[in-house]
Amino acid sequence: MKEATLAVTTEADKFAGFGPNEWLVYEMYQSYLKDPNSVDKAWWDFFADYAPGDTPVVSSRPTEAPTNGTAPPVTAPAVPVETPMPVVPTPAEPASETPAEATPAGRALKGAAARTVSNMEASLAVPTATSVRAVPAKLLIDNRVVINNHLRRGRGGKVSFTHLIGYAMVQALRELPVMNRAYADADGKPTVIEPEHINLGLAIDLTKDDGSHTLVVPAIKNADTLDFAKFWAAYEDVVRKARTNKLTVDDFTGTTVSLTNPGTIGTVHSVPRLMQGQGAIIGVGALEYPAAYQGAAEETLARIAISKVITLTSTYDHRIIQGAESGEFLRRIHELLLGDEFWDDVFASLRIPYEPIRWTTDIAISHDEEVGKPARVIELIHAYRVRGHLMADTNPLDFELRRHPDLDVVTHGLTLWDLDREFPCGGFGGHAMLKLREILGVLRDSYCRTVGIEYMHIQDPEQRRWIQERVERPHESPDREEQLRILRKLNESEAFETFLQTKFVGQKRFSLEGGESVIPLLDAVVSAAAHDDMDEVVIGMAHRGRLNVLTNIVGKSFGQIFSEFEGNLDPRTAHGSGDVKYHLGAEGTYTAIDGETVAVTLTSNPSHLETVNPVVEGIARAKQDMLNRGEGGFTVLPILIHGDAAFAGQGVVAETLNLSQLRGYRTGGTVHVVINNQVGFTTSPASARSSVYATDVARMIQAPIFHVNGDDPEAVVRVAELAYEFRQAFKKDVVVDMLCYRRRGHSEVDEPSFTQPLMYDLIDAKRSVRKLYTESLIGRGDITVEEAEAALRDYQGQLEKVFAESREVQAVPFEPIPEVPTGPPPPTAVTPETLKRIGDAQVSLPEGFSVHPRLLPQLEKR
């Protein structure tokens, strides 16, 4: 026989992380797949390449049911019910001829209610027994807090206790497949069915319009093949279909084991009925403190290390499963929920770059411990201030579990049992006393999310304290207006690059693709300068992103940019007439969103060497001297935009930094922005420098350094504002190291995968920061779907605006270069045969040699 199973594909379930808008986005995407015209055109580009690989798409397809011997008969879906076993009715008495006393009229049960009756009657034929085990839930609670805090700051979504327990249950079933078996009667002979996969049934309670409840048990098919992220997405997909009344027969068939959660209504544990065709059903009870401790104060429970517990029950078919096997199964779930390997797996699949909390025994309370622990908490706070940046998730290309022994609470003699205990914290976060959980939460928000800060090398305590007061606070999302402004600037940045890529194919432009967040960054700094009545902003930068900065920050028109492309194109060359357009400077006026303005100058730059750095400082200093605003009147703001390899490797950078605080050269502080592409021309950082960061050279002048993930534009803008405020407060240089990538390599005519194949496999699979940010805003519920739609239309409008201006540009006719007269060919000692042999050697491949597939066509053309 054939049964339907849910096949996990390589594409992602786009909807499990869309928060309150998840159901609507799901509906829109399904409509888009059927007919793109059925949704607003603004969504087309968003959905076109929407296939991240960290959560699965779940789709129905038929497959052969795993059997061993004769297949069991098809039965109704298993419906776990928390009611007692029904009483078997006695035979009816013969009818009496005497008129019976009137009885209340009955109501016939129909539909699901009638099916429940038949299921319960059928379940009486299954001989069951039940094992019970209480599991401490302290680690489950604490790690779930870490997981959901991370999700809330990223793409949204929420992991429940049942998600985690269900996944642990599946892992235990993989190790103990005896619990996944079923009993069948084949031609009168008792038979054991051993399914190839685990199809996990989920008991879902649904509330009808009339207030009544119904229970459905659809299944997650092939649950044993899923990592946690895919299991979570498949679980949410099944629940969504149940709540939108879209479950099909396929969703109910083939269930091998079920999970029910009566704990949500306070039931400590239950003994549900077991249906024919299944070997076991697992119940999850209420999450509560042991009854004996439920009157204790929270401080008392924390002090004596009392954990909440959750009670698991395993009701099994005693014909094929023994009590010892059921008990061993529950013991294994217990071990998994307290084990390091299980939590490492969960965190890695969700791409949470932090070490999970570990299960340890509480340290016995003594006088020495009471005195020593507060000191160790202060040590922990100091460790995060110094080393927290080493655990920050700043690299948009690389996922790794970040850890450092100095940041491990166990290293400081603390455990998970201390999380809910209060400690004196020396005014940290504005408090005299805080729970360790709250202290760690603020420390991670401040130093280990998508921003890592190096500042403890600064000797001035006032500067260190200034930074601490502004970053050591709970996470706060920017308001909606700021989020929409960030999204608009990303729209402008990406639309410009997208158009150039399609309009001027094959021409160099050193695009900003992969680092588009630098436009919101500069927008934040220049906007702050405008509001502070600064006289001017002077910017110096290399090639990458110059054209984008010229149009979206300095205000150079699209038409001027296009005319330079059109007018400088030499039809006799492959790539135009040169690099002039991305060496040019410009002057303009920046206008903030509320109308405030400031003059902006982008300085011309003749080369890749950062000779522009001292030039910008000289221009800024000369203008300040001419304005003569008095001591401290540094009203011309220098901004220098660097490449990561240049910042680490070019001596002119260090020389300029060394002059920055000298009276004869100072400019009141420069905001340095490193567009960290994580590759220098073709060299990876590991082969280009010995320092940990490309920005380590800035430590010599005690400048604060903010490392930030370019895929988190909100963090980029927050860091940019902090950098500007620090410059204004202390008249010192400050560095923003924005880690990103180059989507098209060093320039658009190069093939970057020749030298960095692994990096560009990752880059090719990445969606743009604009799309990722839109997705996150919808997923967190920060903006409505209508606002996202308006932002997508704005992006399309930006493209159309660029296109309209490009059509108005008239190409400048190319002036032909006069031909140079040539004389007779010079004599040569090389024969044509020798030249041919040399040429053949360039294209003849050794036997067994594999050529890069993108290089092979070039060799064939030769």
Side-chain angles (χ1 to χ4, degrees), residues 116-139:
T116 298
V117 172
S118 62
N119 285 341
M120 289 300 95
E121 291 176 345
S123 74
L124 298 178
V126 181
T128 62
T130 300
S131 304
V132 181
R133 189 179 185 103
V135 179
K138 173 71 172 169
L139 190 64

Side-chain angles (χ1 to χ4, degrees), residues 38 47 100 166 185 223 237 261 272 324 352 371 453 567 592 701 722 747 755 848:
S38 63
F47 286 143
D185 188 345
D237 185 71
N261 187 6
I352 300 176
V371 172
I453 309 174
I701 62 165
L722 274 174
S747 72
T755 54

Side-chain angles (χ1 to χ4, degrees), residues 506-509 574-575 744 746-751:
Q507 289 205 56
K508 291 182 183 179
R509 55 189 171 88
H575 311 303
R744 305 192 186 279
H746 177 67
S747 72
E748 288 65 30
V749 299
D750 297 326
E751 179 44 68

